[in-house]
Amino acid sequence: MQRMPLPLPSQEELAHSQLLHAHILQHIQASPSHSISFYDYMNKALYEPYLGYYVAGKTCIGTEGDFITAPELSDLFSMSIAQHCLSFLQNEPHSTVLELGAGSGKMAATLLSYWEAHHVLPAHYYILEPSPTLKAQQFTTLSTTLPHLIARVTWLEHLPESGFTGIIVGNEVLDAMPIELLRYEHGQYQQVQVTEQNQQLSLITQPLPSYLQPLVAQLPLPNIEGYTTELNPQLNAWVNALGALLTQGFLLLIDYGYAQSDYYHPDRSSGTLQCFYRHHVHDNPLLYPGLQDITASVDFDALTEAALKAGFHTADWTTQAHFLLQNGLAEHFQQCLNESPTQSYALAQQIRILTLPAEMGERFKVFRADKGFEVK
């Protein structure tokens, strides 16, 4: 993979990364095998308290961060999400909305503003956010733009303890969950692990542990020497928890990913793992731990199967372009254009990025799973 040279971190950033690097080395050295699974490495790189990428105070999202998401790019995206939820909120006026990982808070602000204009505000708006920095940013966004609605918003550190009627929504949540790396070597799939050589991190392969064997056996994996791919071992448990929480309503997840036939296609021999650092994309997850995002695409067939097993009575997904166009994107564009005629070029550019196949339109999917009510 040929990429532009990455920007160099500051001395302060390097010192922070070296602290996390040393912490990971300690865990590797304490392990009987002198290695840890890639899942454990990714979990520490992203979520280790006070050190991980998402929880140590680093600016992740936006022009000053490492990547940009659809809600940051355009309010048109969130307006279409809000419109999709309208009929349910109208029929269930005491609903709760739970947003999983709310970024800067821009999507929450747009959703609440749109629903307020249509007189269908949910009784509660919960945000489950592991990052203290993002939580503070979300509070600033919402208290500045919608100060009269801030009392409806509650930040959570864990899923609610009791079930509710409403909507669970998450944009780019699944791609940030730690994954297992798999590689086909010497006639069988192996688990990729992280070890150390001369105080430096490196990747090795080991036989699959027993807990991974049945999960790997279910996948349509090609037997090609060196073929590398990913598996989310926590997907079923995570969806089960959401299914147990939601008494009546639906789950709406937006993320990049594929059907299994594309995800595990023989030509996708290097998998889908990507790293984002200051808007540069590269494929070295061991570089600058704590300073870069590490992601993998979503297996939407596995997500659908997990939802049906978790008690959702329907589960399906479509492309982001199709979803947005079916949920008023053109009308939202015209509304924004009428309010700000000078923004015509910017709005057109936003639609292009959100919908074109070469941009977000087809790579991103919108997944919905319903529970406890008949779709009208």
Side-chain angles (χ1 to χ4, degrees), residues 96 104 120 136 154 156 174 176 186 204 212 228 260 323 353 370:
T96 292
S104 71
V120 292
T154 302
L156 306 174
L174 280 165
H186 311 301
I204 60 171
L212 280 184
T228 303
Q260 284 190 349
F323 176 89
I353 296 172
D370 302 326

Side-chain angles (χ1 to χ4, degrees), residues 107-295:
M107 185 164 83
T110 303
L111 294 180
L112 287 168
S113 178
Y114 188 94
W115 293 333
E116 182 182 33
H118 289 79
H119 311 290
V120 292
L121 278 170
H124 302 285
Y125 194 100
Y126 292 135
I127 295 176
L128 180 64
E129 180 55 67
S131 167
T133 302
L134 288 177
K135 190 181 300 184
Q137 191 174 358
Q138 292 154 17
F139 180 83
T140 298
T141 298
L142 290 165
S143 61
T144 300
T145 58
L146 298 169
H148 59 293
L149 295 182
I150 195 68
R152 290 179 185 259
V153 183
T154 302
W155 279 264
L156 306 174
E157 295 185 2
H158 307 285
L159 287 175
E161 294 182 359
S162 58
F164 64 81
T165 293
I167 300 164
I168 302 175
V169 61
N171 182 66
E172 293 196 47
V173 174
L174 280 165
D175 67 81
M177 293 178 69
I179 50 89
E180 292 279 2
L181 269 186
L182 310 172
R183 184 173 296 155
Y184 192 80
E185 289 184 348
H186 311 301
Q188 60 184 345
Y189 273 92
Q190 309 263 1
Q191 181 190 41
V192 176
Q193 298 189 347
V194 179
T195 188
E196 60 107 358
Q197 295 179 345
N198 300 320
Q199 296 292 302
Q200 297 301 311
L201 299 173
S202 63
L203 299 177
I204 60 171
T205 56
Q206 295 290 347
L208 286 177
S210 57
Y211 66 87
L212 280 184
Q213 292 172 8
L215 297 176
V216 173
Q218 295 173 8
L219 299 176
L221 297 172
N223 295 334
I224 300 173
E225 187 69 18
Y227 188 92
T228 303
T229 191
E230 308 90 25
L231 166 68
N232 182 343
Q234 297 302 315
L235 179 65
N236 289 336
W238 186 76
V239 176
N240 280 339
L242 298 181
L245 176 64
L246 198 60
T247 303
Q248 179 182 342
F250 62 89
L251 170 65
L252 197 67
L253 300 172
I254 308 96
D255 224 315
Y256 45 89
Y258 308 95
Q260 284 190 349
S261 58
D262 287 332
Y263 201 112
Y264 302 113
H265 193 280
D267 290 342
R268 201 177 297 282
S269 59
S270 299
T272 73
L273 191 75
Q274 292 187 111
C275 304
F276 294 84
Y277 179 68
R278 295 188 189 173
H279 299 277
H280 289 66
V281 184
H282 67 94
D283 60 358
N284 182 2
L286 304 183
L287 183 68
Y288 303 146
L291 301 185
Q292 65 171 354
D293 194 18
I294 307 171
T295 79

Side-chain angles (χ1 to χ4, degrees), residues 43-154:
N43 193 47
K44 292 182 182 301
L46 298 182
Y47 300 108
E48 182 67 27
Y50 309 109
L51 295 173
Y53 175 77
Y54 280 114
V55 295
K58 187 180 189 300
T59 299
C60 305
I61 306 172
T63 56
E64 299 301 315
D66 301 296
F67 57 89
I68 192 165
T69 63
E72 305 296 322
L73 174 71
S74 175
D75 287 342
L76 298 171
F77 174 85
S78 300
M79 292 168 74
S80 295
I81 298 290
Q83 178 170 317
H84 184 78
C85 300
L86 268 183
S87 62
F88 181 86
L89 294 175
Q90 288 166 346
N91 292 326
E92 299 291 341
H94 302 293
S95 294
T96 292
V97 173
L98 168 62
E99 184 176 357
L100 306 170
S104 71
K106 283 203 70 174
M107 185 164 83
T110 303
L111 294 180
L112 287 168
S113 178
Y114 188 94
W115 293 333
E116 182 182 33
H118 289 79
H119 311 290
V120 292
L121 278 170
H124 302 285
Y125 194 100
Y126 292 135
I127 295 176
L128 180 64
E129 180 55 67
S131 167
T133 302
L134 288 177
K135 190 181 300 184
Q137 191 174 358
Q138 292 154 17
F139 180 83
T140 298
T141 298
L142 290 165
S143 61
T144 300
T145 58
L146 298 169
H148 59 293
L149 295 182
I150 195 68
R152 290 179 185 259
V153 183
T154 302

